[in-house]
């Protein structure tokens, strides 16, 4: 399915109104415990609900070559695509203390690509839509072409 196709705001709202944020954050904390972060000692975990109801997760994976570290969100998006694609409708990202963590700028772009404007993120300031997490985002629409099939 191409980015943005095959779903509606109504469908997103239906899914997100049912989000159990505590349970989603618990999944993020659980996977944070598996992070490979020996250099920063800052483990990150993230969990996302897909529009078909499944949950995908990721943790950060660092490297002795510091610059090639993979953020937790990269792992989550990889699982999303590798397990059938779909749209992220709700995401919880946590840092070392298990509290909500704002994704870095690059990862906000990843969430935009795979969740779009209606995807919700649990932030330190509460649940926010991606339109507030990444205002005036650059995305597939700017290219006037659909993203590659997922
Ligand atoms: N990190 C993430 O995994 N996601 C983010 O959105 C922010 C930063 C990781 C990268 C690195 O392994 C560690 O946190 C410290 O920057």
């Amino acid at each position: 399915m191409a980015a943005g196709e095959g779903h509606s705001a109504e469908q997103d709202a239906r899914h997100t109104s049912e989000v159990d944020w505590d349970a989603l954050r618990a999944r993020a904390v659980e996977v944070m415990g598996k992070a490979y972060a020996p250099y920063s000692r800052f483990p990150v975990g993230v969990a996302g609900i897909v529009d078909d109801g499944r949950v995908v997760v990721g943790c950060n994976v660092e490297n002795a070559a510091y610059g090639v570290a993979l953020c937790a969100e990269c792992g989550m998006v990889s699982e999303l695509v590798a397990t059938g694609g779909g749209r992220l409708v709700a995401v919880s990202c946590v840092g070392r203390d298990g509290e909500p963590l704002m994704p870095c700028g690059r990862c906000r772009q990843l969430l935009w690509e795979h969740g779009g404007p209606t995807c919700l993120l649990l932030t330190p300031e509460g649940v926010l839509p991606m339109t507030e997490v990444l205002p005036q985002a650059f995305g597939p629409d700017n290219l006037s072409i659909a993203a590659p099939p997922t």
Side-chain angles (χ1 to χ4, degrees):
M1 181 190 301
E5 287 182 5
H7 75 292
S8 66
E10 288 74 22
Q11 281 176 305
D12 283 341
R14 191 178 70 231
H15 286 293
T16 52
S17 65
E18 298 166 356
V19 174
D20 182 341
W21 289 104
D22 288 341
L24 192 61
R25 185 151 75 98
R27 293 293 299 273
V29 170
E30 179 185 14
V31 71
M32 182 262 287
K34 296 192 159 75
Y36 177 74
Y39 305 105
S40 72
R41 300 193 183 283
F42 189 78
V44 177
V46 64
I49 299 175
V50 187
D51 59 359
D52 65 2
R54 71 191 201 279
V55 174
V56 289
V57 299
C59 59
N60 54 335
V61 180
E62 298 184 346
N63 193 284
Y66 295 172
V68 300
L70 301 175
C71 281
E73 295 89 335
C74 298
M76 180 185 72
V77 167
S78 181
E79 184 186 341
L80 170 73
V81 173
T83 59
R87 303 290 289 171
L88 292 167
V89 296
V91 173
S92 169
C93 183
V94 299
R96 184 168 48 192
D97 59 2
E99 294 300 316
L101 180 75
M102 287 306 287
C104 72
R106 179 179 183 278
C107 290
R108 295 181 200 197
Q109 189 72 37
L110 290 181
L111 298 180
W112 185 271
E113 183 78 19
H114 297 281
T118 58
C119 178
L120 298 177
L121 179 72
L122 182 58
T123 81
E125 296 182 357
V127 176
L128 295 176
M130 282 303 298
T131 46
E132 290 185 44
V133 174
L134 190 63
Q136 301 187 51
F138 174 87
D141 291 348
N142 293 105
L143 300 176
S144 298
I145 58 170
T150 57

